[in-house]
Amino acid sequence: MNFEPQKFFIGLVEFFSIILPGMFVAYLGRELVPHDSTLFPETNEVGWGVFLFVSYFLGHFIFLIGAMLDEWVDDRTRKLTDLAQTKRLFKGERLSPKLLRRLVPTRLLFGRNPDAAVAKAEQLKTAGLQKLSAENTINAFQWCKARLALESPEGLAQVQRFEADSKFFRSFVVALAIFGLIYAFREDRTRAVIAAVLCVLALYRYVEQRFKATQQAYWLVITKEGLNSKLAPAARPDGLTHAGGIVFRKGKFGREYLLVGATDNPSKLVLPKGHIEAGEQTEFTAIREVREETGTWARVVKPLDIVKMTSPTGPDMQVRVFLMEVVEEGVAPEKRPKSWLDLESAKEAAMQETKTLLDKADKMACDLRP
């Protein structure tokens, strides 16, 4: 049998993820029981045996409670990123509360562009499972881990190492939270504050290491796909290449329409639109691109038209255009000028194919119920 240091390290960290928080709680728990209690006898032989048993027993319960943090903390924090908000609008749901999105430091936890790797991994997963109609049976992280288990055990071990570290700190979050509450109840403010500070630091480290585990899985699978020279992006059956929208809002003097500066010439105003990524539905692309190019969250109201547009830097585009209504305005990730204009001003500033779309969009918006 070959000794594998990587797997040994992972197993050791996961063992300590159980035993150390349990020992921590068991040791501090001595303060909460009478000194003559049989739970922690004073004799060395029996005392250590009971202490280790109680530590291991408590450690498993702490680990079990800590596993819930994956859903309660990590998953909910991830749902505040731009990709998750785009999915909410695509499903017809509301954006998460703005205050919550501002308070939770997603950039501090996940970096400036946390969605890039997971978005690409989801596209690869959809392409791989679409033939089986199973693209919704497994999430991107689980799919990447399954692929690595089959194709690259060494890569999977790298992911599992980050996971083991995150589980270690996850268990300490629970242990420190328990004693923070106990000390607060007993009005021991100093220890309660110390426990709270350490709990926050452990929580931050847990989220950071779990994020690294997911990113590592995505990066490894994406790189493996990139090295496969046989793969080539498949054209959509409907021939569409781009999607975007005519976004409107209700201004003081009537409806206003959103235009953005072109990439190659910012002084030229165009509709916000972008390339349809593999596996994306056109409505999703429109919501995502409007957000990326203008900083505006907008919902799809109705399909408007399919138009052919010329591109100065590449082949012609087949664009699915939607009528979209503003939900929330913000700062654009892409630093491009944008303008809200009334219908006539927008038509004067826009290109010819956009003028026809604006007229059609305005008529459709008039027919909407207030």
Side-chain angles (χ1 to χ4, degrees):
M1 181 181 293
N2 295 328
F3 175 71
E4 299 183 51
Q6 189 87 296
K7 290 185 178 180
F8 174 77
F9 173 82
I10 293 167
L12 194 63
V13 173
E14 291 195 345
F15 172 74
F16 282 123
S17 299
I18 295 173
I19 194 67
L20 285 184
M23 293 176 72
F24 174 71
V25 171
Y27 178 77
L28 295 181
R30 293 169 66 96
E31 299 180 8
L32 306 178
V33 297
H35 289 290
D36 59 349
S37 172
T38 56
L39 183 59
F40 296 105
E42 296 297 332
T43 55
N44 289 339
E45 298 82 0
V46 178
W48 274 107
V50 172
F51 177 73
L52 290 174
F53 173 78
V54 172
S55 299
Y56 191 69
F57 183 78
L58 289 174
H60 271 285
F61 278 97
I62 291 170
F63 191 87
L64 179 63
I65 296 171
M68 299 177 184
L69 291 178
D70 290 347
E71 180 181 352
W72 292 349
V73 176
D74 186 69
D75 289 352
R76 293 188 180 185
T77 304
R78 299 285 188 95
K79 288 178 181 178
L80 298 175
T81 64
D82 280 1
L83 177 63
Q85 298 305 304
T86 303
K87 290 179 179 179
R88 289 180 68 90
L89 287 179
F90 172 69
K91 294 176 182 178
E93 301 173 358
R94 294 183 178 182
L95 294 173
S96 298
K98 190 173 184 179
L99 179 62
L100 188 60
R101 283 182 277 133
R102 287 185 174 181
L103 285 178
V104 177
T106 52
R107 284 201 174 189
L108 178 63
L109 292 171
F110 306 136
R112 296 187 63 183
N113 190 11
D115 297 328
V118 64
K120 183 57 67 176
E122 286 184 349
Q123 293 166 17
L124 295 173
K125 182 203 73 170
T126 300
L129 299 179
Q130 212 163 27
K131 293 179 180 179
L132 302 175
S133 299
E135 59 268 28
N136 296 320
T137 60
I138 184 172
N139 67 38
F141 182 48
Q142 293 167 337
W143 179 76
C144 287
K145 285 177 64 178
R147 278 202 59 174
L148 292 173
L150 295 172
E151 301 174 2
S152 177
E154 298 84 0
L156 179 62
Q158 295 178 33
V159 175
Q160 289 175 331
R161 181 167 181 173
F162 284 118
E163 276 194 295
D165 287 342
S166 74
K167 292 174 184 176
F168 179 81
F169 287 99
R170 185 182 70 187
S171 294
F172 268 102
V173 170
V174 177
L176 290 163
I178 290 171
F179 275 88
L181 292 172
I182 291 173
Y183 287 137
F185 182 76
R186 298 177 68 185
E187 297 184 354
D188 188 341
R189 295 182 180 178
T190 301
R191 290 185 178 182
V193 170
I194 292 173
V197 171
L198 292 176
C199 183
V200 171
L201 293 175
L203 182 64
Y204 175 82
R205 185 63 173 167
Y206 150 66
V207 174
E208 179 195 38
Q209 291 299 102
R210 181 161 174 80
F211 179 67
K212 286 181 179 179
T214 57
Q215 290 293 94
Q216 189 69 23
Y218 302 148
W219 291 336
L220 287 170
V221 171
I222 291 169
T223 302
K224 186 175 180 61
E225 291 287 341
L227 293 174
N228 188 348
S229 59
K230 296 180 181 179
L231 292 178
R236 289 174 58 94
D238 55 16
L240 295 174
T241 60
H242 292 67
I246 293 184
V247 184
F248 74 92
R249 71 178 183 185
K250 296 176 182 177
K252 292 182 179 180
F253 306 103
R255 280 183 297 277
E256 296 176 335
Y257 295 91
L258 179 61
L259 297 176
V260 65
T263 305
D264 58 323
N265 183 5
S267 62
K268 183 172 65 175
L269 297 179
V270 296
L271 295 179
K273 60 186 178 299
H275 188 268
I276 303 170
E277 300 292 346
E280 276 189 345
Q281 295 191 41
T282 52
E283 293 89 343
F284 186 92
T285 303
I287 295 170
R288 175 178 58 78
E289 288 292 341
V290 168
R291 166 63 180 171
E292 290 177 0
E293 295 187 359
T294 70
T296 301
W297 289 110
R299 67 179 184 90
V300 171
V301 178
K302 288 183 178 180
L304 195 60
D305 206 347
I306 296 175
V307 295
K308 183 178 180 180
M309 295 186 177
T310 58
S311 171
T313 58
D316 292 346
M317 303 174 288
Q318 285 291 115
V319 186
R320 161 64 80 180
V321 183
F322 296 92
L323 177 65
M324 304 175 70
E325 184 176 14
V326 67
V327 173
E328 180 183 298
E329 295 188 52
V331 179
E334 299 179 12
K335 304 299 181 182
R336 293 165 61 180
K338 64 178 182 179
S339 299
W340 286 100
L341 303 171
D342 60 61
L343 178 62
E344 294 306 319
S345 299
K347 288 169 63 177
E348 289 179 10
M351 300 176 65
Q352 183 57 46
E353 61 264 29
T354 305
K355 294 178 182 180
T356 305
L357 288 171
L358 283 165
D359 279 328
K360 189 173 182 179
D362 191 65
K363 183 178 184 303
M364 188 177 290
C366 286
D367 296 335
L368 294 176
R369 292 182 180 179

